């Protein structure tokens, strides 16, 4: 047993009296109900409240990362041990882009770095479930070998609005893409024998006032859009735990909401696992427990007292108390810590870095590539003028609990150099000096302070002209970061700053005058305004927050080592004002969305809106270029038991190897104005196809995905009539259509 644990065990032993061990049940050896019968009320209540640090002040600030220093320092929390019954503490740690624990510990020179993988949005852009599962497997192995039992991931809230500060931790504006890839992530992590926590359940779609905001949403919209990714993940991957969200839903905190946690999650979806709060989430510990929230994390002394008093005065029945105790014990039994797995504190950071790099490259989305600017031919364009602070200070991920303590970050400059390109050393020095000076001048940032990114460096025309004369081509990186606790802004965030606009304009003018090309790289946490400037550069590549190997992954795409195959998992609108939820999102101008947010747009989120109302966008959902082209043919639609099987043949009709994402959208027989014209109901990605090579792709759509939620009847119904199927390369780019009468 790990020595830390034994110390903790001793100090906890005293709390529960020194009953001799020989005549009492032991977890794992005796049936759980015997364990529960042998527990005192104190022990039961103690188990429901996380074992925050003993000296946890009840008014601890919202910063929670790295909270516990016990057992695995830097984890987010632990549960309480009850040694006399052989119940150990288990360890819970973040997060969605990799395990987050302290990289160093007092008293040892050993390090405990974890791999920073691409963020969820980047993984979603791969549209490749097996690949996402392989990333999950790598994260799960690090979780296991560092002694953590539950990884507090994945997060799969719908991207209702492009400015939500945590969108980078989420997958998509579409519930099928989000649900299928969330399932793959959970399967990948849990195949290591550790657990996950599917979060944040539910409707946590903004960071502003996240612990108090009341989401007002109609039942069919909640179920068909916002809960659907969770339902798919629960039914298809069985996460060990679910994390309830901070916000209220239709007046009740999610963590106190029995409609969510009991009726829907358990009775309708059949979930048998445990629900925990988000850290310090909710208000009323008794209501939370009664509603079906079993574990209060990270745990505060006052919660213990409130629950104990409620049991003593009959407000909390022992039946409900035992229900949560049972779920917690059933969880503990599954954990490596209970099974005394002898974790090594050794992980294969080299192999996992390779996985991270490969996933990052596959998630990159090529938005523009005029006159085959890319891939670069080193014999023609070996000297690159590298502009933009993010070229030299590449952003691997977002801030908050979704960050990772990684050993390094490969910048684009380093990635290009390793790929055999040279860039102008003088220009690099200018940037490095500026970045250091400006970064040093930033005020000390607390964990939950808004993220700060230094302003883009202004460059003189003379300097840009000089670069245009001596370098073969230009690369400009625009960077954006966001994080937990804060939503993004429009100015200098969604919109490019004046300096960034001028940089693109001046570099394009200077290099185009010399007949040389310009590529823009978007190292971004999410959607940016692109319409006003996208005509200028010759190529645009979305790199996202691509993890610690980001610079190498961009180089792999620029050199053609990897053909881009990413597709946008959310729409890139022309203007922020075009976003259907723009008037109901808590921005400076919309104070009314601070305390409660009306989801008045209904199902019309993302492409469901733009596609249905023919609203022009800058780049549509599911869009992404390749270095090759693909032709579609041989469509067949068959119904087999409770699945509709769509298959078609894809041929690589270009002259480079590549992968294609086949997207199947469906329009329903009923023309109901509450519903979008068509919705994504399935997708599949080909293997790498060589020029001329073909692959038959089959997409399975469960009939349950073709049902509508009938609010009056309170159940799902399959509309009768003819369904139309669209086999597309993006939501706007239809390649094959067919009909089927269900
Ligand atoms: C945070 C986040 C949640 C995270 C937890 C533990 O506030 O909302 O995603 O897992 O607390 O750090």
């Amino acid at each position: 047993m790990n020595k830390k644990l034994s110390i903790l065990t001793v100090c906890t032993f005293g709390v529960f009296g020194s009953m001799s061990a020989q005549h009492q049940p032991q977890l794992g050896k005796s049936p759980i109900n015997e364990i529960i019968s042998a527990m005192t009320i104190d022990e039961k209540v103690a188990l429901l409240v996380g074992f925050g640090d003993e000296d946890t002040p009840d008014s601890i600030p919202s910063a929670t990362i790295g909270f516990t220093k016990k057992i695995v320092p830097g984890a987010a929390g632990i549960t309480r041990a009850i040694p006399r019954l052989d119940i150990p503490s288990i360890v819970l740690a973040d997060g969605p882009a990799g395990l987050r624990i302290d990289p160093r510990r007092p008293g040892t020179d050993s390090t405990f770095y974890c791999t920073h993988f691409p963020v969820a949005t980047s993984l979603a852009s791969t549209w490749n479930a097996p690949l996402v599962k392989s990333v999950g497997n790598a994260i799960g192995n690090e979780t296991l070998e560092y002694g953590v039992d539950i990884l507090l991931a994945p997060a799969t809230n719908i991207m209702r609005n492009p400015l939500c500060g945590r969108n980078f931790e989420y997958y998509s504006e579409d519930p099928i893409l989000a649900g299928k890839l969330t399932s793959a992530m959970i399967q990948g992590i849990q195949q290591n024998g550790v657990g996950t926590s599917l979060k944040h359940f539910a409707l946590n779609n903004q960071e502003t006032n996240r612990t108090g905001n009341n989401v007002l949403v109609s039942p069919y919209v909640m179920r068909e859009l916002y809960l659907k990714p969770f339902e798919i993940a629960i039914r298809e991957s069985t996460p060990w735990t679910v994390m309830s969200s901070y916000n209220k839903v239709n007046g009740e905190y999610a963590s106190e909401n029995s409609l969510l946690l009991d009726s829907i999650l358990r009775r309708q979806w059949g979930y048998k696992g445990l629900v925990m709060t988000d850290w310090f989430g909710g208000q009323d510990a008794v209501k939370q427990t009664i509603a079906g929230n079993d574990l209060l994390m990270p745990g505060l002394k006052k919660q213990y007292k409130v629950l104990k008093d409620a049991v003593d005065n009959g407000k909390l029945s022992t039946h409900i108390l035992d229900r949560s105790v049972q779920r917690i014990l059933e969880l503990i039994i599954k954990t490596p810590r209970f099974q005394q797995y002898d974790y090594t504190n050794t992980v294969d950071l080299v192999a996992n870095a390779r996985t991270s790099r490969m996933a990052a490259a596959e998630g990159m989305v090529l938005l523009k590539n005029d006159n085959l600017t890319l891939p670069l031919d080193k014999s023609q364009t070996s000297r690159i003028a590298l502009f933009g602070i993010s070229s030299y200070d590449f952003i691997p991920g977002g801030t908050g609990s979704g960050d990772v303590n990684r050993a390094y970050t490969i910048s684009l400059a380093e990635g290009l150099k390793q790929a055999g390109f040279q860039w102008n050393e003088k220009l690099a020095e200018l940037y490095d000096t500026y970045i250091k000076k400006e970064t040093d001048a930033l005020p000390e940032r607390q964990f939950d302070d808004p993220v700060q990114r230094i302003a883009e460096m202004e460059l003189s025309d003379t300097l840009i002209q000089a670069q245009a004369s001596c370098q073969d081509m230009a690369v400009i990186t625009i960077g954006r970061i966001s994080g937990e606790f804060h939503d993004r802004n429009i100015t200098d965030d969604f919109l490019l700053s004046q300096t960034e606009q001028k940089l693109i304009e001046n570099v394009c003018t200077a290099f185009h005058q010399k007949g040389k090309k310009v590529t823009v790289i978007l190292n971004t946490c999410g959607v940016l305004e692109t319409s006003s400037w996208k005509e200028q550069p010759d190529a645009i590549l979305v790199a996202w927050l691509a993890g610690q190997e980001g610079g190498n992954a961009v180089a792999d795409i620029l050199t053609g080592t990897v053909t881009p195959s990413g597709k946008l998992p959310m729409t890139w609108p022309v203007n922020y004002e075009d976003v259907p939820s723009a008037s109901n999102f808590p921005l400076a101008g919309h104070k009314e969305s601070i305390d409660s947010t009306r989801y008045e747009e209904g199902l019309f989120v993302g492409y469901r809106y733009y596609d249905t109302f023919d609203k022009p966008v800058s780049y549509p959902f599911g869009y992404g270029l390749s270095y090759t082209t693909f032709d579609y043919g041989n469509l067949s639609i068959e119904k087999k038991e409770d699945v509709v099987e769509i298959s078609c043949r894809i041929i690589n009709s270009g002259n480079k190897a590549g992968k294609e994402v086949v997207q199947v959208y469906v329009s329903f027989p009923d023309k109901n104005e509450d519903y979008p014209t068509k919705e994504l109901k399935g997708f599949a990605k080909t293997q790498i196809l060589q020029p001329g090579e073909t692959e038959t792709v089959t997409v399975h759509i469960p009939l349950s995905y073709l049902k509508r939620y009938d609010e009056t009847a309170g159940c799902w119904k399959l509309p009768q009539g003819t369904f139309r199927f669209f086999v597309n390369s993006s939501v706007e780019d239809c390649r094959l259509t067919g009909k089927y009468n269900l």
Side-chain angles (χ1 to χ4, degrees):
M1 176 156 327
N2 186 296
K3 93 171 152 40
K4 285 254 188 235
L5 184 58
S6 57
I7 296 169
L8 181 60
T9 298
V10 169
C11 82
T12 313
F13 191 83
V15 175
F16 298 103
S18 56
M19 303 155 105
S20 59
Q22 68 276 10
H23 67 277
Q24 59 200 358
Q26 296 293 291
L27 185 63
K29 298 188 184 73
S30 322
I32 283 187
N33 61 348
E34 279 184 31
I35 303 283
I36 295 175
S37 309
M39 289 171 78
T40 65
I41 293 294
D42 275 11
E43 289 170 330
K44 291 180 181 178
V45 170
L47 203 56
L48 268 60
V49 180
F51 191 41
D53 281 329
E54 276 304 278
D55 50 0
T56 310
D58 282 351
S59 59
I60 192 166
S62 58
T64 60
I65 264 306
F67 183 74
T68 179
K69 298 304 174 195
K70 296 185 176 78
I71 311 181
V72 178
I78 56 176
T79 59
R80 196 178 293 271
I82 303 178
R84 74 180 186 89
L85 298 168
D86 209 13
I87 299 172
S89 288
I90 62 171
V91 179
L92 303 90
D94 290 303
L99 180 67
R100 184 185 166 91
I101 56 173
D102 290 349
R104 296 188 183 286
R105 293 174 190 171
T108 169
D109 291 337
S110 304
T111 56
F112 304 83
Y113 290 113
C114 300
T115 304
H116 198 153
F117 290 91
V119 298
T121 302
S122 165
L123 297 177
S125 303
T126 69
W127 291 61
N128 186 336
L131 177 142
V132 172
K133 184 172 180 178
S134 69
V135 170
N137 182 46
I139 299 176
N141 180 262
E142 294 192 6
T143 302
L144 176 71
E145 291 307 334
Y146 276 134
V148 172
D149 299 292
I150 307 289
L151 185 78
L152 301 171
T156 194
N157 295 97
I158 287 290
M159 296 176 182
R160 171 178 180 255
N161 185 290
L163 298 186
C164 170
R166 292 187 85 169
N167 275 349
F168 72 94
E169 292 185 75
Y170 304 155
Y171 285 78
S172 177
E173 67 189 27
D174 179 83
I176 301 298
L177 179 62
K180 301 299 274 187
L181 297 182
T182 302
S183 293
M185 176 57 73
I186 290 167
Q187 290 160 21
I189 294 166
Q190 294 190 163
Q191 69 190 19
N192 291 276
V194 295
T196 57
S197 195
L198 179 62
K199 67 187 187 181
H200 308 90
F201 190 66
L203 292 116
N204 180 182
N205 307 104
Q206 68 190 56
E207 283 303 285
T208 306
N209 186 29
R210 66 178 184 169
T211 57
N213 178 52
N214 181 22
V215 171
L216 300 170
V217 62
S218 58
Y220 82 101
V221 173
M222 181 170 84
R223 288 166 185 266
E224 295 210 32
L225 184 58
Y226 293 98
L227 297 188
K228 186 55 76 177
F230 291 91
E231 179 181 5
I232 293 171
I234 294 279
R235 291 182 188 281
E236 299 185 10
S237 63
T238 321
W240 287 14
T241 77
V242 167
M243 183 189 291
S244 56
S245 60
Y246 284 124
N247 55 283
K248 293 174 187 169
V249 179
N250 293 330
E252 272 196 315
Y253 282 105
S255 63
E256 302 172 9
N257 194 311
S258 59
L259 171 69
L260 280 178
L261 304 185
D262 192 53
S263 311
I264 295 175
L265 179 62
R266 290 184 163 114
R267 295 178 197 280
Q268 290 166 38
W269 297 352
Y271 184 60
K272 298 278 183 284
L274 168 143
V275 176
M276 71 178 82
T277 61
D278 198 339
W279 265 229
F280 309 106
Q283 292 286 327
D284 181 328
V286 178
K287 278 189 73 177
Q288 288 171 318
T289 309
I290 293 170
N293 192 106
D294 308 295
L295 179 61
L296 307 178
M297 290 305 289
L300 290 170
K301 290 194 217 64
K302 67 181 177 185
Q303 291 170 317
Y304 173 88
K305 188 176 175 325
V306 162
L307 288 180
K308 181 74 175 55
D309 293 350
V311 177
D312 292 346
N313 64 31
K315 276 201 187 133
L316 180 60
S317 71
T318 45
H319 162 69
I320 296 288
L321 179 64
D322 291 354
R323 179 182 71 179
S324 289
V325 169
Q326 166 130 5
R327 288 170 182 159
I328 295 169
L329 294 179
E330 286 169 348
L331 173 68
I332 292 173
I333 279 181
K334 297 200 289 192
T335 62
R337 189 163 299 280
F338 176 74
Q339 292 161 21
Q340 298 188 349
Y341 174 75
D342 193 10
Y343 55 94
T344 61
N345 277 325
T346 308
V347 295
D348 191 342
L349 292 177
V350 172
N352 291 349
R354 262 198 306 275
T355 302
S356 180
R357 173 172 177 170
M358 179 268 293
E362 181 136 348
M364 293 186 181
V365 183
L366 185 59
L367 298 181
K368 181 180 184 184
N369 189 24
D370 284 0
N371 314 315
L372 291 179
T373 299
L374 301 175
L376 300 177
D377 171 357
K378 255 183 277 182
S379 62
Q380 305 293 322
T381 51
S382 64
R383 293 171 306 173
I384 290 179
L386 200 51
F387 297 104
I389 53 175
S390 297
S391 292
Y392 303 90
D393 182 18
F394 216 65
I395 312 167
T399 58
S401 57
D403 197 356
V404 177
N405 292 316
R406 59 197 166 270
Y408 62 84
T409 301
I410 299 289
S411 72
L412 179 53
E414 289 159 326
L416 288 171
K417 181 158 277 187
Q418 287 183 23
F421 293 93
Q422 298 97 34
W423 25 262
N424 187 284
E425 297 286 350
K426 271 176 52 77
L427 182 58
E429 258 168 54
L430 264 179
Y431 272 106
D432 288 342
T433 311
Y434 172 82
I435 290 166
K436 183 169 179 353
K437 180 168 134 299
E438 293 297 310
T439 306
D440 291 349
L442 288 176
E444 179 69 25
R445 181 175 167 270
Q446 293 309 315
F447 173 75
D448 54 353
D449 281 343
V451 293
Q452 290 152 324
R453 190 85 179 138
I454 58 174
E456 184 54 65
M457 181 168 83
E458 302 205 15
L459 293 179
S460 69
D461 259 1
T462 320
L463 184 146
I464 293 174
Q465 295 289 350
Q467 289 294 318
S469 301
C470 64
Q471 303 299 95
D472 301 323
M473 74 163 297
V475 172
I476 307 169
T477 304
I478 302 290
R480 285 293 182 276
I481 187 169
S482 71
E484 183 176 357
F485 305 112
H486 303 279
D487 290 316
R488 292 176 58 196
N489 298 307
I490 294 181
T491 310
D492 297 348
D493 187 350
F494 176 78
L495 301 174
L496 296 195
S497 66
Q498 287 297 324
T499 309
E500 289 168 333
Q501 291 175 47
K502 257 182 67 182
L503 179 64
I504 292 176
E505 197 177 311
N506 295 347
V507 168
C508 288
T509 304
F511 277 75
H512 288 163
Q513 274 168 358
K514 306 276 185 191
K516 297 174 180 177
K517 294 184 174 174
V518 180
T519 295
V520 171
I521 308 290
L522 302 179
N523 172 208
T524 179
C525 57
V527 179
L528 291 174
E529 188 278 327
T530 44
S531 281
S532 65
W533 55 270
K534 69 183 185 182
E535 296 314 317
Q536 298 170 54
D538 303 284
I540 303 173
L541 175 73
V542 184
W544 303 119
L545 301 180
Q548 64 187 54
E549 286 284 333
N552 282 331
V554 172
D556 290 340
I557 295 286
L558 296 184
T559 57
T561 308
V562 174
T563 295
S565 63
K567 303 276 184 177
L568 293 178
M570 85 295 267
T571 309
W572 287 43
V574 171
N575 304 300
Y576 175 70
E577 292 66 32
D578 298 343
V579 176
S581 58
S583 55
N584 281 302
F585 191 78
L587 267 182
H590 300 284
K591 288 294 177 210
E592 71 284 356
S593 294
I594 296 284
D595 296 327
S596 69
T597 305
R598 300 183 174 287
Y599 285 28
E600 280 178 345
E601 70 282 352
L603 290 175
F604 298 109
V605 168
Y607 74 85
R608 285 171 164 75
Y609 167 70
Y610 304 108
D611 181 52
T612 299
F613 298 100
D614 292 325
K615 184 83 178 170
V617 298
S618 190
Y619 294 105
F621 176 79
Y623 172 84
L625 298 176
S626 172
Y627 290 152
T628 185
T629 54
F630 298 96
D631 288 346
Y632 291 51
N634 297 43
L635 173 64
S636 88
I637 303 174
E638 281 184 72
K639 179 167 167 297
K640 292 181 176 173
E641 286 155 24
D642 60 353
V643 170
V644 179
E645 202 175 81
I646 318 281
S647 63
C648 66
R649 196 191 65 180
I650 304 295
I651 182 167
N652 179 343
S653 48
N655 55 21
K656 289 213 181 318
K659 297 181 179 180
E660 172 65 326
V661 174
V662 174
Q663 304 162 35
V664 179
Y665 297 82
V666 177
S667 70
F668 283 63
D670 55 342
K671 289 290 162 262
N672 174 334
E673 77 281 355
D674 287 342
Y675 284 91
T677 309
K678 61 178 182 286
E679 295 166 82
L680 181 77
K681 291 300 178 186
F683 60 93
K685 192 164 196 173
T686 68
Q687 297 303 312
I688 290 187
L689 298 179
Q690 296 304 324
E693 201 176 351
T694 64
E695 179 179 330
T696 296
V697 171
T698 302
V699 175
H700 296 102
I701 300 177
L703 284 186
S704 61
Y705 287 14
L706 301 179
K707 292 183 176 178
R708 293 269 192 240
Y709 186 73
D710 179 325
E711 282 192 353
T712 319
C715 65
W716 293 85
K717 291 183 176 174
L718 183 67
Q720 300 306 306
T722 304
F723 286 77
R724 293 196 60 204
F725 293 85
F726 304 86
V727 180
N728 288 23
S729 183
S730 85
V731 69
E732 290 182 353
D733 181 358
C734 179
R735 301 300 184 85
L736 301 167
T737 61
K739 288 190 268 199
Y740 198 90
N741 202 329
L742 283 179

